[in-house]
Amino acid sequence: MRLATAASEAYTTPLAVSELLGCKQCAAGRDQDEELGIRIPRPLGQGPSRFIPEKEILQVGSEDAQMHALFADSFAALGRLDNITLVMVFHPQYLESFLKTQHYLLQMDGPLPLHYRHYIGIMAAARHQCSYLVNLHVNDFLHVGGDPKWLNGLENAPQKLQNLGELNKVLAHRPWLITKEHIEGLLKAEEHSWSLAELVHAVVLLTHYHSLASFTFGCGISPEIHCDGGHTFRPPSVSNYCICDITNGNHSVDEMQVNSAENVSVSDSFFEVEALMEKMRQLQECRDEEEASQEEMASRFEIEKRESMFVFSSDDEEVTPARDVSRHFEDTSYGYKDFSRHGMHVPTFRVQDYCWEDHGYSLVNRLYPDVGQLIDEKFHIAYNLTYNTMAMHKDVDTSMLRRAIWNYIHCMFGIRYDDYDYGEINQLLDRSFKVYIKTVVCTPEKVTKRMYDSFWRQFKHSEKVHVNLLLIEARMQAELLYALRAITRYMT
Amino acid sequence: MEKMSRVTTALGGSVLTGRTMHCHLDAPANAISVCRDAAQVVVAGRSIFKIYAIEEEQFVEKLNLRVGRKPSLNLSCADVVWHQMDENLLATAATNGVVVTWNLGRPSRNKQDQLFTEHKRTVNKVCFHPTEAHVLLSGSQDGFMKCFDLRRKDSVSTFSGQSESVRDVQFSIRDYFTFASTFENGNVQLWDIRRPDRCERMFTAHNGPVFCCDWHPEDRGWLATGGRDKMVKVWDMTTHRAKEMHCVQTIASVARVKWRPECRHHLATCSMMVDHNIYVWDVRRPFVPAAMFEEHRDVTTGIAWRHPHDPSFLLSGSKDSSLCQHLFRDASQPVERANPEGLCYGLFGDLAFAAKESLVAAESGRKPYTGDRRHPIFFKRKLDPAEPFAGLASSALSVFETEPGGSAMRWFVDTAERYALAGRPLAELCDHNAKVARELGRNQVAQTWTMLRTIYCSPGLLPTANLSHSVGKGGSCGLQLMNSFNLKDMAPGLGSETRLDRSKGDARSDTVLLDSSATLITNEDNEETEGSDVPADYLLGDVEGEDDELYLLDPEHTHPEEPECVLPQEAFPLRHEIVDTPPGPEHLQDKADSPHVSGSEADVASLAPMDSSFSLLSVSHALYDSRLPPDFFSVLVRDMLHFYAEQGDVQMAVSVLIVLGERVRKDIDEQTQEHWYTSYIDLLQRFRLWNVSNEVVKLSTSRAVSCLNQASTTLHVNCSHCKRPMSSRGWVCDRCHRCASMCAVCHHVVKGLFVWCQGCSHGGHLQHIMKWLEGSSHCPAGCGHLCEYS
């Protein structure tokens, strides 16, 4: 049945996608329908992402066999080809694993009923006011037979889901505060209690959607055409340019400014890349010679941790209006607080004592079979993905840079690798990049196009998307580690 | 620990003594290692590095190697190893990638000897050469293994695994130059220490990381590996390709594995997560651990046998900050707790049981049932004199077969297949099922159905065809009751033929009756629609008396007969057969009949209303409508269902439950219903009646049962060209890029329901094939096969 609907939609949706993508042709292509007197919504966005120019993104129809297979899979599973998929397809290898995992989490065998899964997704995305994901999953939630009343707010959902609200909140913003008492509270709530398997499923869903919200904001994913903000019924413009240009007028001006800014600083940013590569080379070579003392190594982590707290964007403009989303909040005041600024003394989380490969995996796979394997693969692909390129350079070993990004994110969450020299982070990641990382990971709703444009100016968009993949996977792993450690402690 | 058993072993002059004991450490341990004299143990962890002396009664702290003001990361140990040749030499692997050696012979407080900082990532494992004094090997997260000569400042050679992190390295005990390394990606590599350029051999041992390995102390080629996939595997490395010899499935990922000294097939394991116990396995008996140590409260991180030639002392360190000495004698042995007897009923009444041989021997010595119809078959396991579990392992299996041709469970299958459970009016369902039961010679069941119909169906609604039938039945019942004195005499003497005759006679008399009853009914209907209750009133006095009498009769009938009711009549008649003298099929019927006639509880109970309704047909209708709502009988029906279920005829209980639906469901508690459903479904599935079982699952209202059909609903399809599984979509193969399932009629891809002929394996869209086969009997693909569609 499901297959049949997917197949039938497969014929209609490419149309929608091409509409989305090809808004320049829309004036021409519409005439026929207009004659029939049907009101046709017009897409507002310019392609799947607000940050990435449409022409950079793969056009549906011009994909290669592998990507095509992925698109087909995405259809078969969801009955749509969403903007996230269209942006992620820059990295087909990752996308495949991502879709497989998401499909398994939402639709395959698992301890939670289907509507619960989507509702948990909504809860998680709402924590970051990500209306894009909320809208998508509201549709799915209703589609699988969820009670529309629940959507009026968490207090209308069953007590069991309400209990999850606290964990959702802590996990999204300050995962290091999760204790085994949180877990105990959920598991021992008499008739509203969660089973361990259900809880692990819920935790995986929560972390998945928290980090996906990061991706949505980090790459500026545009709303889908059928969702609020994705279309308009305003009549086509009288002048000869497309409606989209009017409604998003300021947007395109922005882009022009940025473009001109880029032109000015081309030579500047060219040197940026060169400098970065030079630093990597240096670090590679002199690592063996110059040996930092133990104390210094230890303090470097602390420094990096402390510094990460000063890294913050100055511009607080453009906060996404959270009309329909806000109802899922109980406590909007609860947001990210810096790990290091936090008054209470929270001991550093040491990866050598609790890591995903040894401990987290075993726990997840025990309680929610097969998912551990899927997530493990996803982490691996995200961490090891490389094309050995940097901007215009080829054959570069980027492992050091990737590791620095990964560890920097974990550092923001207070997770420390004993065998890492945190001095490297300072050398490799410049301030604007750190601002971007920090915003995407901790307060994704505040990401702006300016932030996206101002880091790594010479790098390709696909590389920036690659960075985003690293960010969301590192974030997901960090949240999972804290949650799973608490569960482990509860179990022992 | 209170058990004070002591073990003393003489080993080459030195004597090991001790008891099960533990001591508290200040911090969680990551690894432990024993000195070669078996008198000291070193414990290392993130914030602990101490040497303890193992005394008879307790552990005594000898030395704290963690000195200096500021704890350095070099002291945060992931692993520790004590040299087996030199008791002053230790090496640790630090989480920051440093390998440190320690010389206990140094006069200063700081015993640190050398520092190797060549690894870029955490060092997971260090290992001394078993015989060479200066050779140390390390394996790290960065994927490299390094060999150090302690007389030099840096490594002698570096081995690149060309893959992910190294989790364990172990020198072979027998082969001087060989060492094994295990990797996070599941591979095991074998290296020659003289050839750092490439490994000698590589194979994939586990799915996921291989956390540990251990060479067998005596058997040259045996290597045990343990992985995240919860398995311990024993490999024979002497052959050309590494051969898996044994595999032990544990319940959690395996963190450490150590062969037990002096016991060729034993090894000890502890796990990385969740499970805190230490197990000792006999690899030949991979299902139950030979011994189990349950002292720790958190995961065990390090295990070591105290002496390389003493199998009874095991030391362990744990995350719960304790160090333990376990005595094999004090171990709990799960085998002892296992139930050594097994009993199982076969589907067709065969009975098998396995028990300790000694027990069986004693039993068969008596031979009390020799003259019986049982056919015991004995299987005996051949005993291996080397088998350490000989006493426990030898068991005898006996199988008792039922008489062939008894067609024991035929009725069950037939009934299951032919019963109608839904989709028609209740009356029709009851009648149909009654008919089915009667045709199978199960008259009591048939009677029950008929009675249910009478109770729950307003007869006015019956189609006439059915009516005649039920009236006939009713007539005979009425007759029986009226002649209740004759009843008992009649029953045993009646063969099936005489009964047939009688029913024929009844049918004849029914036809006579039929006309009048039909008219009566129509009359009554009219009257009722008019809203007059005259007939009811008019009948009142007349019937009431009779009714009362009937119910008075009831308990009397029931009580004396009760012992008879307990006898199983319908379900599992095979059990009967085993106990009793051989009954032929007719005999069986008789048996089934006799209690029916003499009136089992259920029968009599429901006979009463039946009777009143049919002995005076028109009267009873009014009575039934106005006085006795179906609820009145619900207690009886409930008892009846319980009765059938008790008898083992869960089929009847479930069928009635489904057919009556809401009418009785509320009277029977959820759990009982669920229990019946699951038993019935289980039986159906054992008889491979998949369709029936699915229908039952679908029709059930119990939530636990109906979700049986919602789990694992995936259907896997293989490509018809390349025979590979089609993972992503059901209709196109990823590998050969062909559409696998084309419709033979329209030549398009089939994406939904696909039907194919089992003879020629051509097929297509369900609709198309159905249409095609209406017009032609040949296969639409033109293969000439005569396809059938049913």
Side-chain angles (χ1 to χ4, degrees), chain A residues 286-334:
Chain A
C286 63
R287 186 185 258 161
D288 308 324
E289 300 158 24
E290 168 228 9
E291 201 44 63
S293 76
Q294 284 309 310
E295 288 74 21
E296 203 188 325
M297 294 286 269
S299 66
R300 276 181 190 169
F301 175 74
E302 297 302 323
I303 291 168
E304 202 52 53
K305 216 165 74 179
R306 219 171 309 127
E307 270 186 2
S308 77
M309 131 190 154
F310 299 115
V311 173
F312 235 113
S313 53
S314 44
D315 34 20
D316 271 356
E317 26 151 335
E318 204 187 312
V319 175
T320 333
R323 253 182 326 108
D324 56 336
V325 176
S326 56
R327 63 190 174 214
H328 293 291
F329 283 85
E330 297 162 297
D331 181 7
T332 15
S333 59
Y334 197 93

Side-chain angles (χ1 to χ4, degrees), chain A residues 311-365:
Chain A
V311 173
F312 235 113
S313 53
S314 44
D315 34 20
D316 271 356
E317 26 151 335
E318 204 187 312
V319 175
T320 333
R323 253 182 326 108
D324 56 336
V325 176
S326 56
R327 63 190 174 214
H328 293 291
F329 283 85
E330 297 162 297
D331 181 7
T332 15
S333 59
Y334 197 93
Y336 174 80
K337 251 196 191 153
D338 285 288
F339 182 74
S340 41
R341 197 194 292 169
H342 202 75
M344 290 151 64
H345 181 72
V346 182
T348 304
F349 186 112
R350 295 187 184 260
V351 167
Q352 268 75 12
D353 291 345
Y354 198 98
C355 67
W356 164 256
E357 283 79 14
D358 295 1
H359 306 95
Y361 171 91
S362 303
L363 186 64
V364 172
N365 234 22

Side-chain angles (χ1 to χ4, degrees), chain A residues 73 109 287 294-295 350 352-353 357-359 361-363 366 376 380 403 416 418-419 488 492, chain B residues 46 72-74 95-96 120-122 164 167 211 228 251 253 272-274 276 712 728-729:
Chain A
D73 280 346
D109 281 351
R287 186 185 258 161
Q294 284 309 310
E295 288 74 21
R350 295 187 184 260
Q352 268 75 12
D353 291 345
E357 283 79 14
D358 295 1
H359 306 95
Y361 171 91
S362 303
L363 186 64
R366 183 186 184 87
D376 193 44
H380 261 266
R403 192 168 169 220
R416 182 177 175 189
D418 280 346
D419 53 359
T488 309
T492 49
Chain B
R46 172 168 291 282
S72 145
L73 267 186
N74 290 348
T95 49
N96 64 350
K120 295 194 186 76
R121 304 282 305 268
T122 300
E164 292 170 77
R167 298 307 298 244
F211 288 136
R228 192 170 72 178
I251 58 167
S253 51
M272 184 77 91
M273 278 287 290
V274 191
H276 310 155
S712 40
S728 53
R729 278 143 296 153

